[in-house]
Amino acid sequence: MTQKHNQRQRQQIVIVGAGFGGFQAAQSMANADADVLLIDRNNYSTFVPLLYQVATAQLEPSLVAYPIRTKLRGMRNIQFLQSQVELVDFDKQLVKTTAGPFAYDYLVLATGTQSSYHSIPGAPEYTFPLKTLTDAIALRNHILRCFEKASRMTDPHEQQRLLTFLIVGGGATGVEVAGALAELMRGALQRDFIDLAGEGRLVLIQSGSGLLQEFSQRLGNYTHRHLEAMGIKVCLNTRIAQVEATRVILADGEAIATATVIWAAGLEATRPDLAPSLPPSPKRKLLVRDTLQLVDYANVYAIGDVAAFAQDHQSLSGVAPEALQQGVFVARNLRRQLRNQPLQSFAYWNKGRLAIIGGYGGVGRILGINFGGILAWALWLAVHVVYLPGYRSRLLVLLTWLQNYVLGDRASRQILPAIAQLNIDKELSALSVRSNPDDYL
Amino acid sequence: MTQKHNQRQRQQIVIVGAGFGGFQAAQSMANADADVLLIDRNNYSTFVPLLYQVATAQLEPSLVAYPIRTKLRGMRNIQFLQSQVELVDFDKQLVKTTAGPFAYDYLVLATGTQSSYHSIPGAPEYTFPLKTLTDAIALRNHILRCFEKASRMTDPHEQQRLLTFLIVGGGATGVEVAGALAELMRGALQRDFIDLAGEGRLVLIQSGSGLLQEFSQRLGNYTHRHLEAMGIKVCLNTRIAQVEATRVILADGEAIATATVIWAAGLEATRPDLAPSLPPSPKRKLLVRDTLQLVDYANVYAIGDVAAFAQDHQSLSGVAPEALQQGVFVARNLRRQLRNQPLQSFAYWNKGRLAIIGGYGGVGRILGINFGGILAWALWLAVHVVYLPGYRSRLLVLLTWLQNYVLGDRASRQILPAIAQLNIDKELSALSVRSNPDDYL
């Protein structure tokens, strides 16, 4: 890697982030006349749409985490670096990482989004986000621990609190987590904890007047009825005022005692530190031209959720196909720019939209046709297993779903042990903190 | 659970530890005329023989971790408690846990073993054990991180240090880890890190004069040749004097620069705190009678690796079948004791012994016949997939092995993120430390 990066005659392209957009952009730059460095903090690319299934004990974490180097094996002009980006210096054309600085001629920012808490007190400290594999495993461990703890609880109020799960947000993520959690609780956990049967309580809190507002009102109503039929209490037009360690306080003053608040209520761009800094923008997104270049820098592109791209005066909605198409497109524009050819404008080709509810329910809009029910549910699963990278993961996910839905069981119910940090940058003496005591309740 | 434990007319049996012995003992107590409480610090039972495959990126962690409650679902007289045992009080007949005290009429201790470092300075701090799932994931993360770090290292000495892996111990665990690590390095990692091809270095250090000394000398020599053919340097009659943060110092003064020392050189019993304490014993094991009752307490049994059981004047060797047979047996003796019938003496029925080397090599001794080669290798895999609990895990492990051995690849190469501790016993305010920053190099 170092050798290649010293050969300054070849143009250097740095891509920050190996999510849907960045990983696709790197792949699409294979055999281009430039050296590409793909940087991510993890050595895997996370298949975010299935994270909720990891969080609800349905899938093993590794099935939705694709090792980045696998796909890049044949691509000799593409290098991977596992590191954290600390600063992007536009003037010096440097990306500063925890592994040192890297110079670029062209830069692609694909750093995605993170939870946004709308300044609600306590939300950052006391709610569970669901954006990374870490989040999903932590949430799964927590849900299973709540049941383990509740099973030996004599105080009925405390038991009820441990078995009350609040989901904040009535968009696709909130709905799918609520449904999957209901399936988990009335399936595997009901059989694991017979003394607690029927004690679990699920509440979905939505600030707006309907669920899945990116779909039609009819489908939103269908989703509402379907979730309620699964035993979930749906609260529309309801806002959170504050989150505390042991309860949530709603805007109308009502308090709900709970040990678990899942945050699916808002996102903002994950913007790395930039020098010079860019002006504030809605949801902290980076303003881009039609070509996906930054408004301010012609040699810097932004793609995926970090980019503020609007089509037909509407922002993109933040789904994977948008990032994937932008990843393919940015590679084409980069190749044009390398050859000093004129750049083209990006246009998103919307194939439709699907959302899964659980309990054999889903909704969809394809070619302008709205539909809900088991067809949308099955189509959602089919589309996501097809897009999941890696034949092994696809096969194992299919087998797991077969078991889940035929037997009504969940296999991945292990509370994974805590793995203490080993930071080999800070000398190996850090090893002494490696083997912390196994976790216990 | 609490209700049942208040009904003092039924006898209370507590089993500490859900490894091979304890988990089997609980299952064999199904429908007995007593209430059984099985306690483990994890909510899963670890299939220890395959841990080395987790550590070498071959198997997903969850495939070797069986959720304890799954097997106990039909057994109404058996309860499970996830907790850490802090003290066993023989006089008051209490097991004190982090979840409170539990009274017993009969107690089964099945707490297994942990690494023993023979007072070698630095070994507890700077070596990687391989006894728990935590150990295996931490070791896998570390090995993969060493390669990620080495790939961007300009100092050749430091690069060589990061790619030097020392295994201490020439018994079954040391041999199988060495072989599997060699397979990983010349397979998947060679393809992931083409710039580092051929740079990895594996050293197996054995204090004795031969490998696998529980087998014949001929098979030990075969194992030695086989490992060397796989590119592993085997050092016999070699002792470690000291382990430091960046190197190992041998007894003859030679220093080996390394970032990874894997400890497979010795075990001692994991003895919980006991009151009154029992006298010291070899390897801290609990002295038992032929009936597996403690020498000192007739209502307390010890089984598996924590028990000092000798047959034909020889200690048992610490393999899974011994613990499983003792688990079945202790349940029979408990049932006899509940009915005031005379107890019987345990005898281990040795079906033979197998060890896997890797690279299609293994050794075995069955019905007095010694054999080595691909037959022993295949037989080892077959036996372990049969004994692995859960049909799903068996199928997925088989599919994974097929992929590993046919394609020479390893799928589980994700450096799993660090999951910070969430201890819901210490109030939910502990949530604030839950979402620590994702790990990076």
Side-chain angles (χ1 to χ4, degrees), chain B residues 77-89:
Chain B
N77 68 320
I78 302 174
Q79 302 289 336
F80 171 67
L81 172 72
Q82 187 186 3
S83 189
Q84 186 90 5
V85 170
E86 294 177 325
L87 180 79
V88 174
D89 189 324

Side-chain angles (χ1 to χ4, degrees), chain A residues 1-2 41-44 58-63 65-67 69-70 73 76 79-84 98-99 102 124-129 132-135 137-138 141-142 144-149 151-154 158 161-162 187-189 191-195 244-246 258-260 392 395-396 399-400 403 409-425 427-429 431-432 434-441, chain B residues 1-2 41-44 58 60-63 65-67 69-70 73 76 79-84 98-99 102 124-129 132-135 137-138 141-142 144-149 151-154 158 161-162 187-189 191-195 244-246 258-260 392 395-396 399-400 403 409-425 427-429 431-432 434-441:
Chain A
M1 184 170 75
T2 344
R41 59 185 170 178
N42 292 312
N43 78 334
Y44 53 82
Q58 200 162 356
L59 291 179
E60 270 92 4
S62 55
L63 296 184
Y66 188 77
R69 289 183 183 272
T70 302
R73 275 175 181 168
R76 298 301 298 253
Q79 302 289 336
F80 171 68
L81 171 71
Q82 186 186 3
S83 190
Q84 185 89 4
T98 45
F102 292 85
E125 296 86 358
Y126 299 120
T127 70
F128 286 84
T132 68
L133 194 60
T134 323
D135 294 342
I137 301 174
N141 283 353
H142 177 76
L144 297 171
R145 278 204 187 94
C146 282
F147 274 83
E148 291 289 348
K149 180 89 187 281
S151 76
R152 53 184 155 83
M153 187 61 65
T154 45
E158 184 61 10
R161 187 179 75 82
L162 285 167
L189 293 186
R191 292 154 77 185
D192 276 356
F193 299 89
I194 37 172
D195 295 347
E244 296 176 358
T246 59
T258 177
T260 314
R392 178 174 179 277
L395 177 62
L396 265 49
L399 287 171
T400 304
Q403 187 203 24
D409 208 349
R410 301 278 172 102
S412 302
R413 305 196 312 285
Q414 303 86 353
I415 299 177
L416 274 189
I419 308 297
Q421 206 63 19
L422 172 65
N423 191 331
I424 55 173
D425 271 0
E427 246 332 308
L428 212 71
S429 59
L431 263 172
S432 52
R434 188 199 64 243
S435 48
N436 71 334
D438 277 352
D439 55 341
Y440 54 86
L441 276 169
Chain B
M1 185 170 76
T2 344
R41 59 185 171 179
N42 293 313
N43 78 335
Y44 53 83
Q58 200 164 355
E60 271 92 5
S62 55
L63 295 184
Y66 188 75
R69 289 182 184 274
T70 302
R73 274 173 182 169
R76 298 301 298 255
Q79 302 289 336
F80 171 67
L81 172 72
Q82 187 186 3
S83 189
Q84 186 90 5
T98 46
F102 292 85
E125 296 87 359
Y126 299 121
T127 70
F128 285 85
T132 69
L133 195 60
T134 323
D135 294 343
I137 300 173
N141 284 353
H142 176 77
L144 297 171
R145 278 204 185 93
C146 281
F147 274 84
E148 291 289 348
K149 179 90 186 280
S151 77
R152 53 183 155 82
M153 187 60 64
T154 45
E158 185 61 9
R161 188 179 74 83
L162 285 167
L189 293 186
R191 291 154 75 185
D192 276 355
F193 300 90
I194 36 172
D195 295 346
E244 295 176 359
T246 58
T258 176
T260 314
R392 179 173 179 276
L395 177 62
L396 266 49
L399 287 171
T400 305
Q403 187 203 24
D409 208 349
R410 301 278 171 102
S412 302
R413 304 196 312 286
Q414 303 86 353
I415 299 177
L416 274 189
I419 309 296
Q421 206 64 20
L422 172 64
N423 190 333
I424 55 174
D425 272 0
E427 248 330 308
L428 212 71
S429 58
L431 262 173
S432 51
R434 189 200 62 245
S435 49
N436 70 335
D438 277 351
D439 54 340
Y440 54 84
L441 276 170

Side-chain angles (χ1 to χ4, degrees), chain A residues 94-162:
Chain A
L94 279 180
V95 174
K96 292 189 177 163
T97 76
T98 45
F102 292 85
Y104 67 83
D105 299 301
Y106 299 97
L107 175 66
V108 178
L109 293 172
T111 46
T113 51
Q114 59 196 29
S115 287
S116 149
Y117 298 101
H118 314 300
S119 311
I120 292 175
E125 296 86 358
Y126 299 120
T127 70
F128 286 84
L130 192 48
K131 283 295 295 173
T132 68
L133 194 60
T134 323
D135 294 342
I137 301 174
L139 178 54
R140 176 181 73 177
N141 283 353
H142 177 76
I143 293 165
L144 297 171
R145 278 204 187 94
C146 282
F147 274 83
E148 291 289 348
K149 180 89 187 281
S151 76
R152 53 184 155 83
M153 187 61 65
T154 45
D155 176 350
H157 294 288
E158 184 61 10
Q159 192 180 60
Q160 185 56 253
R161 187 179 75 82
L162 285 167

Side-chain angles (χ1 to χ4, degrees), chain B residues 169-433:
Chain B
T173 303
V175 164
E176 68 198 14
V177 173
L181 206 44
E183 286 178 354
L184 172 68
M185 283 166 60
R186 72 179 180 187
L189 293 186
Q190 184 137 334
R191 291 154 75 185
D192 276 355
F193 300 90
I194 36 172
D195 295 346
L196 301 176
E199 296 285 329
R201 194 173 153 222
L202 278 169
V203 184
L204 178 63
I205 293 182
Q206 160 74 322
S207 58
S209 59
L211 300 177
L212 297 182
Q213 295 190 314
E214 62 273 37
F215 290 91
S216 69
Q217 200 186 337
R218 191 177 63 79
L219 289 180
N221 292 340
Y222 160 77
T223 304
H224 191 154
R225 287 194 309 275
H226 197 83
L227 288 176
E228 288 196 329
M230 293 176 80
I232 298 160
K233 186 179 174 193
V234 179
C235 306
L236 299 179
N237 302 307
T238 305
R239 288 180 178 278
I240 302 277
Q242 189 170 349
V243 186
E244 295 176 359
T246 58
R247 60 181 191 162
V248 159
I249 298 166
L250 304 181
D252 65 5
E254 191 195 341
I256 303 174
T258 176
T260 314
V261 183
I262 301 167
W263 195 259
L267 297 170
E268 62 181 21
T270 309
R271 190 193 270 206
D273 282 347
L274 306 172
S277 66
L278 295 177
S281 57
K283 295 187 177 176
R284 306 193 74 224
K285 294 195 177 200
L286 301 173
L287 301 177
V288 292
R289 314 174 199 181
D290 286 349
T291 56
L292 300 182
Q293 291 163 294
L294 289 199
V295 169
D296 301 290
Y297 298 96
N299 65 336
V300 182
Y301 292 79
I303 60 172
D305 290 349
V306 79
F309 185 86
Q311 185 160 318
D312 305 332
H313 307 290
Q314 269 211 310
S315 297
L316 294 186
S317 47
V319 294
E322 296 163 354
L324 287 169
Q325 289 182 29
Q326 292 188 337
V328 172
F329 178 85
V330 82
R332 283 202 206 122
N333 258 2
L334 278 168
R335 287 171 191 260
R336 289 188 193 101
Q337 205 169 13
L338 288 168
R339 301 190 207 105
N340 292 313
Q341 293 170 344
L343 301 188
Q344 296 191 347
S345 296
F346 175 75
Y348 174 56
W349 181 48
N350 190 341
K351 298 180 205 167
R353 185 86 192 265
L354 289 164
I356 192 163
I357 308 173
Y360 305 104
V363 301
R365 186 185 61 244
I366 293 176
L367 301 171
I369 299 166
N370 293 307
F371 59 107
I374 192 167
L375 174 66
W377 174 85
L379 203 56
W380 191 98
L381 293 177
V383 165
H384 283 84
V385 85
V386 166
Y387 274 92
L388 186 70
Y391 286 103
R392 179 173 179 276
S393 294
R394 260 175 236 158
L395 177 62
L396 266 49
V397 164
L398 266 181
L399 287 171
T400 305
W401 285 347
L402 209 65
Q403 187 203 24
N404 287 341
Y405 296 119
V406 172
L407 303 180
D409 208 349
R410 301 278 171 102
S412 302
R413 304 196 312 286
Q414 303 86 353
I415 299 177
L416 274 189
I419 309 296
Q421 206 64 20
L422 172 64
N423 190 333
I424 55 174
D425 272 0
K426 290 186 192 154
E427 248 330 308
L428 212 71
S429 58
L431 262 173
S432 51
V433 300

